[in-house]
């Protein structure tokens, strides 16, 4: 019987194939990312060394020079370790109250746990993958990544905080704003992007962030961190 860690990895593999590799193989793929709805919420994220985030930020900028896209700056590039509540429909008072509750849990429970487990995480970046609206740096994480995510979600849920597991260990690099435009320019541009690092990468920090994403960009606010 497959372990839970195997199940997480298999789910990620399925999403890579169905949501990215199959669309990439379509000869007439059209970009459909224009006018994305505003999105806001809380995330627990992993941070990476500057050498990796600079490479990915340059890739995001290169894509943005070819088609309209939401760029990701180096300080916004991350792997999601756990996904918190959406705040799009919340009032500011509701969002602030939830953020205070989650901040307290992060500082008193999540941070001490993460500080002892971060060295156990290793992530190998494998491919540039895209679909009609997103470019990602695909990756494979070791069991340490999934185990820490699971422990954090369990800890949060015991504290009546809704956190959920990430679907993958990837990094989102760009979100397209083009609509009804052929993806041929993306294919050509990706062929010219620098290769992803072939050796495993260890994250260097963890942060609790409040994010907001819309057509103007992807932004973090009010972060609590133990970082690079």
């Amino acid at each position: 019987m497959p372990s839970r860690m195997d199940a997480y990895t298999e789910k990620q593999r399925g999403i890579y194939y169905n949501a990215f590799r199959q669309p990439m193989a379509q000869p007439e793929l059209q970009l459909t990312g224009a006018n994305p709805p505003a999105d806001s919420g809380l995330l627990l994220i992993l941070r990476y060394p500057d050498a990796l985030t600079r490479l990915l930020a340059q890739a995001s900028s290169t894509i943005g020079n070819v088609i309209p896209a939401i760029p990701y700056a180096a300080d916004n590039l991350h792997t999601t370790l756990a996904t918190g509540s959406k705040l799009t429909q919340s009032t500011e008072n509701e969002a602030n109250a939830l953020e205070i509750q989650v901040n307290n849990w992060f500082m008193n429970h999540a941070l001490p746990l993460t500080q002892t487990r971060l060295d156990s995480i290793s992530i190998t970046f494998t491919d540039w993958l895209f679909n009609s609206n997103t470019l990602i740096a695909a990756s494979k994480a070791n069991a340490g990544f999934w185990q820490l995510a699971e422990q954090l979600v369990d800890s949060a849920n015991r504290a009546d905080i809704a956190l959920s597991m990430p679907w993958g260990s990837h990094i989102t690099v760009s979100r397209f704003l083009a609509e009804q435009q052929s993806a041929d320019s993306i294919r050509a541009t990706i062929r010219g992007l620098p290769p992803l690092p072939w050796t495993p990468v260890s994250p260097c920090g963890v942060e609790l962030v409040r994010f907001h994403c819309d057509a103007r960009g992807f932004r973090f606010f009010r972060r609590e961190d133990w970082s690079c």
Side-chain angles (χ1 to χ4, degrees), residues 41-57:
L42 299 175
L43 296 174
L44 199 59
I45 66 169
L46 292 176
R47 287 295 198 180
Y48 292 99
D50 288 344
L52 176 61
T53 57
R54 284 197 303 267
L55 182 154
L56 299 178

Side-chain angles (χ1 to χ4, degrees), residues 7 19 25 31 33 45 58 64 75 78 86 90 100 111 116 129 131 145 164 166 178 194 206 210 213 217 224:
L31 303 182
I45 66 169
Q58 182 57 53
D75 63 352
H78 65 278
K86 294 290 188 180
S90 302
I100 290 170
L111 191 53
T116 65
L129 298 182
N131 56 24
F145 170 80
S164 57
V206 63
R210 180 174 175 178
C213 185
E224 296 286 351

Side-chain angles (χ1 to χ4, degrees), residues 25-40:
Q26 296 175 9
E28 302 299 327
L29 176 64
Q30 297 290 307
L31 303 182
T32 60
N35 301 316
D39 191 17
S40 181

Side-chain angles (χ1 to χ4, degrees), residues 3-16 44 46 48 79-83 113-114 117-125 136-155 163-171 201 203:
S3 69
R4 293 196 310 277
M5 303 303 119
D6 291 336
Y8 295 137
T9 301
E10 187 59 31
K11 178 181 178 180
Q12 175 179 261
R13 185 181 298 114
I15 292 174
Y16 282 166
L44 199 59
L46 292 176
Y48 292 99
T79 288
T80 298
L81 188 56
T83 301
L113 173 62
T114 303
R117 297 297 305 276
L118 200 63
D119 289 344
S120 70
I121 297 176
S122 176
I123 298 177
T124 302
F125 291 92
I136 67 171
S139 69
K140 296 178 181 178
N142 68 348
F145 170 80
W146 300 108
Q147 289 166 350
L148 178 58
E150 199 173 61
Q151 289 178 317
L152 290 167
V153 169
D154 288 345
S155 171
L163 283 189
S164 57
M165 292 288 291
W167 67 256
S169 57
H170 62 289
I171 297 178
V201 177

Side-chain angles (χ1 to χ4, degrees), residues 37-214:
D39 191 17
S40 181
L42 299 175
L43 296 174
L44 199 59
I45 66 169
L46 292 176
R47 287 295 198 180
Y48 292 99
D50 288 344
L52 176 61
T53 57
R54 284 197 303 267
L55 182 154
L56 299 178
Q58 182 57 53
S60 187
S61 176
T62 298
I63 293 295
N65 290 333
V66 175
I67 65 161
I70 296 173
Y72 279 64
D75 63 352
N76 285 341
L77 290 159
H78 65 278
T79 288
T80 298
L81 188 56
T83 301
S85 297
K86 294 290 188 180
L87 301 176
T88 309
Q89 303 300 321
S90 302
T91 67
E92 189 61 23
N93 285 341
E94 291 170 339
N96 288 339
L98 177 60
E99 193 168 25
I100 290 170
Q101 180 190 15
V102 179
N103 280 349
N104 289 337
W105 166 80
F106 177 79
M107 298 302 296
N108 294 315
H109 299 281
L111 191 53
L113 173 62
T114 303
Q115 287 173 328
T116 65
R117 297 297 305 276
L118 200 63
D119 289 344
S120 70
I121 297 176
S122 176
I123 298 177
T124 302
F125 291 92
T126 58
D127 305 275
W128 296 109
L129 298 182
F130 71 94
N131 56 24
S132 65
N133 54 48
T134 305
L135 171 69
I136 67 171
S139 69
K140 296 178 181 178
N142 68 348
F145 170 80
W146 300 108
Q147 289 166 350
L148 178 58
E150 199 173 61
Q151 289 178 317
L152 290 167
V153 169
D154 288 345
S155 171
N157 291 344
R158 288 195 300 271
D160 293 325
I161 294 170
L163 283 189
S164 57
M165 292 288 291
W167 67 256
S169 57
H170 62 289
I171 297 178
T172 298
V173 176
S174 188
R175 294 188 187 275
F176 310 145
L177 295 175
E179 184 175 22
Q180 300 304 315
Q181 179 174 330
S182 170
D184 289 347
S185 56
I186 296 296
R187 302 181 207 274
T189 303
I190 289 175
R191 286 195 290 269
L193 292 179
L196 292 164
W198 60 271
T199 55
V201 177
S202 295
C204 60
V206 63
E207 294 186 15
L208 173 67
V209 298
R210 180 174 175 178
F211 78 91
H212 188 80
C213 185
D214 56 26

